[in-house]
Structure formats: structure tokens, C-alpha cells
Amino acid sequence: MFRLISTNAQQGFRPVLLSKVRGNKGPLSLTSSTLANTSGNNVNSQHIVTSTQFARSNSNSSNGAIKNTKMKVDSFISKATADPLIKEAIENPELTRKLEHFKDLLYQTYDKGSFSNTQSRSAFNETVNNMFSLFDNEALRSHLSSKDLFQYANALQRAVYFNRTNRLSGNKNRDKDQSSNNYSEELLLKNAVLNLAELIIGNEFQNRLSSNVIKMLFYSMLQFRFYNEMINLWENGINDPINGKLFLQQETLAIVLDVCFENKRFTYEEILQIYELNSKDTQEVADVLLCTIGKIAIVSGDYSRALDSLETLLKMYEGYGAPKARRELLHSLSELHLTFIGECKDFKIAKHFFDKVIEFSLPYSVPLKAPKVVSFIENCYEADEPMETIIDIWKSTLTHYKDSYTRGASMNARYAILNNGFFGVFFKKFPTLNNESFDQLRKIISEYANIKQIDETFLNTIISNYIWQDKEVLDQLIENYSIYDVQRTPVSYRIVLKKLGEIKGYSNKDILDKWYENLTCLDNFGYVYIPVADWAALRDATILSGFSENRIPLYLTVVNTFRNYMQDRRSCLRFLGNWAKMPEYYPLVAQISDAEEDFVDFGCDVEVKIPQLENLTENVSFRYITREITQNRKDSDFDTRSIHYQGPVLYKPRI
């Protein structure tokens, strides 16, 4: 293994990564702090087991041995059948069947493939849903073993992870694929997670609870950001006289302490006290707990303790021979290293750790996460570092990504996050348009093109962050889609249309032309309806614009003209239902539903007509459907949240 070891023998095996930072004078002069002793074997005093001495019957007769064995078997059966739980299972065949089915479902959750296709995901979701239904049976829960409970918590955590991964997938068309099923599945998972937490607080699994169950449950709660519920569960748990020690296991503390600190449940000093009390009697602190304490120390400005944690992790990494152990430890090393980059307020320290990743001069691998780089860039802005430094960090990260990773959806997400954070800072640095800011923006676009091909996401990001109130510059940015031959999707057209709402210079004709461009793109992509996102972009460009006074007639006219191009009955109800929550606008939009004639003159200064379309078509009778809302507005108790989808639309639009 390539090791960065100082050549100075007096330094021992302290890596250069640490010694350079610690040796830095001035702002890097750090006081030392000492972690718990981490030398010696990996032995936890809480887990020392005293061996039991088994006495052997000193019989010379084989018949005696057989008789003795038979007596033991009879005694075991007699005691077992006297157990009320076993007796109930034997006498209740229905419960036995449910228990066997539940365990079979647990097994099936590990055998559903890669979830790379809809069929495998559906099979997994069906299995998990059936498992949740059975888990609601109190009698069944009373017969679950400690192993069963762990497998259930593990299956629950996997379901939460796959649901989140599927929901945030970068290759989904949210207008076509994002349905209420995703949200109902997520709601079901949230209820299951909170239900398990409540059962644990209620002491239902007193003799079957394990630290692994708690750990898996906390991972699930983290995904849903149930921070207050996590803290409540943990504080109830540590006060449990039977299971309290399970909540103080180091891997559990590694999860909880971070949450408690971020949510200000404990101060930094109190976190250290909890840590010291629960690690002082152990010969080796778990790597995940060292990582957590190091990250909390960085956020608190205690860089010396954080460096101590990193150094201890490095020593552990060098000493671990098993590849699996090294892989697990590598994650902790990587997380702590990235925290130095993203959370350290001392620019010199953060830059040092950033450069080590960029230069590939580390004895361990660190996948450079875009959110951490964005946080680093934002810290540079707060520290008033020059724009040249920020641009250099951005360009170095782009080059690192290009040289280190293959193309894919995950990389597209990294570029998007990085660029969004960078341009957010850029327009903070240059809030107004002048020669310097304009030249800098042109230079950035040119330099990006030298590193990576300019694509739709990059231009979308610039336009989304654009704050200069100048129509001409925005038009030039929009022209870049053509200049760089970018393949556009409906997303870019929506972003452009939405942005027009922030700039005064665009006329109603300009906005209408952009709307027609949206429709053409949708039609070319095979859409048969106008998605919600396009209606929202039109709304933000007109009626909710800062310059809405002259644009409201355009919005009402466009909606009235294309009202029947909505997707289905539910879309119509939600469209007007959302306006019903805004009384200052609702009467205007309600005119479209209440009108008796197709043509309504809203006083628009441009003519709005339906262009030639191949796929987009009228799907609903908007007025017929939405009068369910307008007729009920007189009832002050009417709540648009009570509107539910009731199946396919059977109403024919008026042609």
C-alpha cells in the first residue's frame, strides 16, 4: 500500500497529511487533544463471555447413557410444551401458518434481483406490503425471535432505501412516471418505521431486542429525517433498565450523537462527555464513532480533536489486514476527510484536504462528493476569498470528475449539483451586470467547454441562477442551446419560460412564443397532454410574475385556450383547487370554469391560438369537471384536499 509517511523518524508514523496541517503556523496552530486509548486488541469488556464448564456423566454403561439422554429429552419437551408461546403456536395452526408466511416474506426481500426494472421493484414492494400487514398482528409479533426481528428491521431499512432511490432516480420522467403510488408507498414505509419505534418504546420486545435492530431502525429514520423521533427513542432506550446498554453501543452512538448535535439536543461539550463515558473502558473505539466525533469536532471548530480522530483511523487502516474490514474503515476515513473539505471554516485546512484528493496523493480513496465541494465553495465566499480561487476549485473538481469517473446518471447528478452551487456563488459575487461580470461569465462558459461538453443541464443551471435584469444577456444565454448544438428536453423550455417572469423586458408576445416552443417540444416528445410543470412555468412567467399587471390577461387567455389539454380529471381538479387556496387570484381563474362560452375576452393584447399539433390533444372537459369546485366555494368548509381521483375521464370535450 502506498503510504504517505514522514521521513522524520521522531514523528513516528504520523502521515504527512496530518503533520503538514498540524505544523502550519499562524492560523493553523492547533492545540492537541487526545482521544480514548485505541491500542491493543479489539476486545470490548461488555462482551467478555465466561466459558461454562459442562460436567460429563461418568457412566461406563451405554444403556445408562441412553437412559440419561431420554430423560433429558423428555424433560425438555415437557418444559417446552409448558411454555405458553410454544403451546399457543402448537394449538393455533392459523398463527403457525402466518408465522411461516411472515418468515418466508422476510426471506423473499433478499431475493428480488437488482431492482433495475419495474417488475422486480413491484415484486419487492408487494412482498414488503404483505410483510407489514402481518407484522400488525400482535400474536404474531409475540412469536418472533430476536433473529426474526432483526431481519424485519433490515428488510424495512432496505425498503426505505429502495423507495428513496427509485423516487430520486435520475432517469425518470416525473410527468409520466411519478404517480401517487410512490407517495402512498412512502407513507406506508413511514408508518412502518414509526410503528416499530413505538413498539420498542412500549417495551414489546424486551427480551428479543438487539443493537442491530436499533441500528437498522435508526438508519431508516435517518432516511425520513425523523430526527425528533430518533432522539425520543434513544432517550427512552438508554433509560430502560433491561435494554439501556443496547442504545449505548458504539455504532448506535455514532448515528445518534450526530443527530443530537445537529438538532441542538446537546452541546459540543455534552457530546464529548457522552462519548468519553462510553468509550473510556474500551480498548479500541469503533471507526464509525471516531468518524462521528471527528465530524462534530470540525463543525465545532475543534480541528485538533478532528485531526486526532483522522490519525487514529489511519493507524487502524494500516493495521487491519482483512480486506472487508479495511473497506468498512475506508468509508469512515472518506467521510471524515470530506467533512474537512466541506465543513472546516479554516480555508487553509480545507484547501489542504481538497488538494490531497485532487492530486490523488492519499493512501486511501476518497470519492469527491459534489455537495461537500459546494459547501467548500460557499465557505470560500463567506470568507471573502477571491473569485479566482473559487473558479480554480470548481475547475479542479470538473477535471477530477472527468479523469476519475465514467459517464453515467450519478455523474450527471454530481455535475448538476456542483454547477448549481458554483453559479449560485458566482451571481452572489457579481449581483449586477457590468463589463467585468459579463466577461467573467463568458470566460467560465468557454473554460467549461474546454473541460466537458456543454449540455442542457449546464445551460439550465446558468439560466436558473441568472439574476441580472437584462433581457439581452438572457437571450444570449438561451442562444447557447443552438450554438453548442444542445439536445433540448421539455425541462429547458420550462426553465426558460419560468425565468421570463423575473425580467421586465419581455412582452406578452415574447412569452407566448416561448409557450408555443414548449408545446412544440412536448409534441415532439410524444406527449398527449400538457404536464403540470408547464402550467406552473406559464403561471410563474405571467400571473405570479413581479410584472403581472400586464401579463394576467395573457395567462387567463392561454389557460382558457388550452384548458382541455390537461391530463385527466384529477389534474383539472388540482389545478383549480390550488388556485382556490389563493383568494387573491382565485376569482380571476374561476372565470374560466364559470364561463358559458368557449371564447372569453380577457383583454389580452396578443392573439392566442392552437398551433398544428400531432400528439397533444384535448383529453378532458375542464369546465364540466372544475365546476365541482366553483359550485362548492360558497361552502366555507370546502377543502380542496378532499378531492380524490375517481378513475378515467368519461366526459367528451366540446369541440
Side-chain angles (χ1 to χ4, degrees):
M1 180 188 69
F2 176 64
R3 297 159 63 179
L4 296 176
I5 305 299
S6 173
T7 55
N8 188 341
Q10 293 181 351
Q11 286 186 325
F13 293 101
R14 181 178 296 243
V16 172
L17 173 65
L18 299 172
S19 61
K20 283 191 175 181
V21 174
R22 293 183 185 279
N24 195 307
K25 302 302 181 182
L28 292 184
S29 178
L30 302 170
T31 59
S32 62
S33 62
T34 307
L35 289 172
N37 179 26
T38 57
S39 61
N41 298 327
N42 185 15
V43 179
N44 190 326
S45 59
Q46 295 180 355
H47 296 91
I48 297 177
V49 180
T50 305
S51 59
T52 304
Q53 302 298 322
F54 291 93
R56 179 180 181 275
S57 176
N58 188 19
S59 173
N60 295 326
S61 170
S62 60
N63 290 334
I66 294 173
K67 181 178 180 181
N68 188 34
T69 301
K70 184 176 184 303
M71 291 175 61
K72 291 181 178 179
V73 171
D74 291 342
S75 175
F76 172 78
I77 293 175
S78 176
K79 292 179 180 179
T81 53
D83 189 301
L85 296 180
I86 297 178
K87 183 177 181 181
E88 181 183 354
I90 294 174
E91 295 177 352
N92 189 343
E94 178 65 17
L95 179 61
T96 302
R97 184 190 65 78
K98 288 183 178 181
L99 190 61
E100 291 175 352
H101 183 45
F102 180 80
K103 293 183 178 182
D104 183 54
L105 291 174
L106 287 175
Y107 174 78
Q108 290 180 34
T109 60
Y110 294 89
D111 189 34
K112 291 299 177 187
S114 62
F115 300 89
S116 58
N117 57 71
T118 303
Q119 184 177 3
S120 60
R121 287 194 297 268
S122 299
F124 178 81
N125 290 334
E126 183 179 357
T127 299
V128 169
N129 292 345
N130 292 334
M131 185 176 66
F132 291 160
S133 298
L134 287 173
F135 192 75
D136 285 337
N137 188 310
E138 184 177 357
L140 181 140
R141 291 198 304 269
S142 67
H143 288 81
L144 297 180
S145 66
S146 179
K147 181 180 178 181
D148 295 332
L149 194 58
F150 167 69
Q151 288 180 336
Y152 175 76
N154 196 19
L156 178 57
Q157 196 274 332
R158 281 164 48 83
V160 171
Y161 172 79
F162 286 124
N163 176 270
R164 181 175 184 272
T165 302
N166 182 50
R167 179 166 50 86
L168 300 179
S169 175
N171 60 359
K172 289 179 69 67
N173 183 327
R174 303 197 185 283
D175 293 316
K176 291 186 177 181
D177 302 331
Q178 188 79 31
S179 66
S180 59
N181 290 337
N182 290 327
Y183 296 103
S184 60
E185 290 168 5
E186 183 173 314
L187 181 61
L188 183 67
L189 290 170
K190 287 181 176 180
N191 288 334
V193 169
L194 294 177
N195 180 50
L196 180 57
E198 290 175 0
L199 291 173
I200 291 176
I201 291 177
N203 299 322
E204 181 161 332
F205 309 110
Q206 279 284 36
N207 298 317
R208 293 166 288 163
L209 196 60
S210 67
S211 59
N212 285 331
V213 171
I214 298 169
K215 182 174 65 175
M216 287 297 126
L217 177 58
F218 277 150
Y219 283 149
S220 298
M221 298 177 83
L222 269 178
Q223 292 287 331
F224 289 133
R225 300 184 180 183
F226 288 151
Y227 301 139
N228 292 332
E229 292 81 0
M230 286 180 66
I231 295 172
N232 181 51
L233 172 60
W234 183 71
E235 291 183 345
N236 275 277
I238 60 177
N239 291 312
D240 189 316
I242 297 177
N243 295 317
K245 63 182 180 181
L246 300 178
F247 289 84
L248 293 173
Q249 296 295 311
Q250 292 191 18
E251 290 189 351
T252 301
L253 285 176
I255 304 171
V256 173
L257 291 184
D258 198 20
V259 173
C260 288
F261 179 73
E262 287 188 8
N263 289 270
K264 297 180 173 54
R265 176 63 183 87
F266 300 120
T267 64
Y268 177 55
E269 291 72 21
E270 290 170 336
I271 292 289
L272 292 182
Q273 290 178 3
I274 297 172
Y275 166 71
E276 297 290 351
L277 285 173
N278 290 279
S279 63
K280 63 181 181 179
D281 294 331
T282 59
Q283 294 185 348
E284 184 172 275
V285 180
D287 61 277
V288 288
L289 184 55
L290 281 169
C291 178
T292 293
I293 292 299
K295 292 193 295 184
I296 293 175
I298 292 171
V299 176
S300 302
D302 188 356
Y303 303 136
S304 180
R305 179 177 286 274
L307 290 168
D308 284 341
S309 293
L310 184 64
E311 187 172 9
T312 303
L313 288 171
L314 280 168
K315 291 178 181 178
M316 294 169 64
Y317 183 72
E318 291 179 348
Y320 278 19
K324 181 179 179 181
R326 290 171 68 103
R327 285 196 301 270
E328 294 173 350
L329 182 58
L330 181 60
H331 177 75
S332 296
L333 267 172
S334 174
E335 281 295 306
L336 187 53
H337 191 114
L338 288 170
T339 305
F340 271 110
I341 295 174
E343 304 299 334
C344 181
K345 300 297 184 181
D346 190 307
F347 172 75
K348 292 184 178 179
I349 296 179
K351 185 66 162 56
H352 173 82
F353 279 88
F354 175 79
D355 289 342
K356 288 296 179 181
V357 178
I358 296 298
E359 297 165 1
F360 298 98
S361 54
L362 289 168
Y364 51 89
S365 174
V366 177
L368 192 57
K369 295 182 179 179
K372 295 298 184 183
V373 180
V374 169
S375 180
F376 181 30
I377 289 175
E378 290 173 345
N379 289 339
C380 290
Y381 169 76
E382 296 295 333
D384 202 24
E385 293 293 330
M387 191 64 203
E388 289 73 17
T389 299
I390 295 175
I391 293 175
D392 181 66
I393 294 170
W394 173 67
K395 287 169 55 181
S396 298
T397 306
L398 291 173
T399 304
H400 178 78
Y401 285 163
K402 179 183 177 182
D403 296 341
S404 306
Y405 304 102
T406 57
R407 296 171 61 87
S410 61
M411 284 311 305
N412 291 336
R414 290 189 183 188
Y415 284 119
I417 294 170
L418 174 65
N419 291 332
N420 188 59
F422 170 74
F423 282 107
V425 169
F426 173 83
F427 284 107
K428 289 179 183 178
K429 277 280 190 179
F430 300 102
T432 58
L433 176 63
N434 52 45
N435 290 336
E436 180 189 4
S437 60
F438 183 69
D439 290 342
Q440 193 69 265
L441 180 59
R442 291 179 59 185
K443 181 181 177 182
I444 286 172
I445 295 175
S446 177
E447 290 180 341
Y448 185 88
N450 292 331
I451 299 173
K452 185 181 183 296
Q453 182 179 359
I454 288 181
D455 57 13
E456 182 188 40
T457 304
F458 176 72
L459 295 177
N460 289 351
T461 301
I462 299 178
I463 293 173
S464 295
N465 285 280
Y466 179 81
I467 62 172
W468 299 335
Q469 296 294 315
D470 190 280
K471 177 180 181 295
E472 184 178 353
V473 174
L474 181 57
D475 285 339
Q476 291 181 40
L477 290 174
I478 296 172
E479 288 176 7
N480 282 321
Y481 289 109
S482 300
I483 293 173
Y484 290 99
D485 194 25
V486 172
Q487 298 296 316
R488 300 185 65 177
T489 68
V491 175
S492 64
Y493 289 96
R494 294 164 187 160
I495 289 174
V496 168
L497 179 60
K498 178 183 175 69
K499 181 57 64 173
L500 302 190
E502 302 176 13
I503 300 176
K504 185 178 181 179
Y506 287 97
S507 66
N508 280 341
K509 184 180 185 306
D510 295 328
I511 297 172
L512 182 61
D513 288 341
K514 296 300 182 188
W515 171 255
Y516 287 150
E517 290 179 11
N518 275 39
L519 298 185
T520 300
C521 180
L522 292 171
D523 198 52
N524 292 337
F525 269 78
Y527 280 80
V528 296
Y529 62 91
I530 300 176
V532 173
D534 294 277
W535 290 113
L538 175 69
R539 175 202 63 198
D540 293 343
T542 54
I543 191 170
L544 294 188
S545 166
F547 316 101
S548 61
E549 183 177 355
N550 297 323
R551 300 180 181 185
I552 290 177
L554 173 64
Y555 177 77
L556 297 176
T557 303
V558 171
V559 173
N560 184 61
T561 304
F562 294 93
R563 64 187 185 276
N564 293 334
Y565 284 75
M566 293 188 182
Q567 183 178 5
D568 51 30
R569 181 176 185 273
R570 177 180 56 182
S571 299
C572 297
L573 292 174
R574 287 185 174 177
F575 177 86
L576 190 58
N578 288 331
W579 283 116
K581 300 172 186 176
M582 295 184 279
E584 65 273 33
Y585 295 108
Y586 171 76
L588 295 172
V589 182
Q591 298 176 77
I592 300 172
S593 295
D594 293 335
E596 296 296 333
E597 302 296 332
D598 282 346
F599 175 77
V600 181
D601 187 2
F602 293 103
C604 184
D605 59 354
V606 292
E607 181 184 4
V608 179
K609 55 185 179 181
I610 300 175
Q612 186 69 35
L613 301 168
E614 294 184 6
N615 295 298
L616 285 173
T617 186
E618 293 185 293
N619 304 288
V620 297
S621 176
F622 178 83
R623 285 177 179 158
Y624 186 94
I625 295 170
T626 55
R627 281 175 183 171
E628 177 179 338
I629 293 179
T630 59
Q631 291 174 3
N632 283 278
R633 283 292 293 176
K634 58 185 179 182
D635 183 358
S636 60
D637 295 329
F638 180 71
D639 187 353
T640 57
R641 291 174 298 179
S642 65
I643 299 172
H644 299 289
Y645 179 56
Q646 300 177 2
V649 179
L650 301 179
Y651 314 111
K652 294 294 183 181
R654 293 180 294 174
I655 304 299

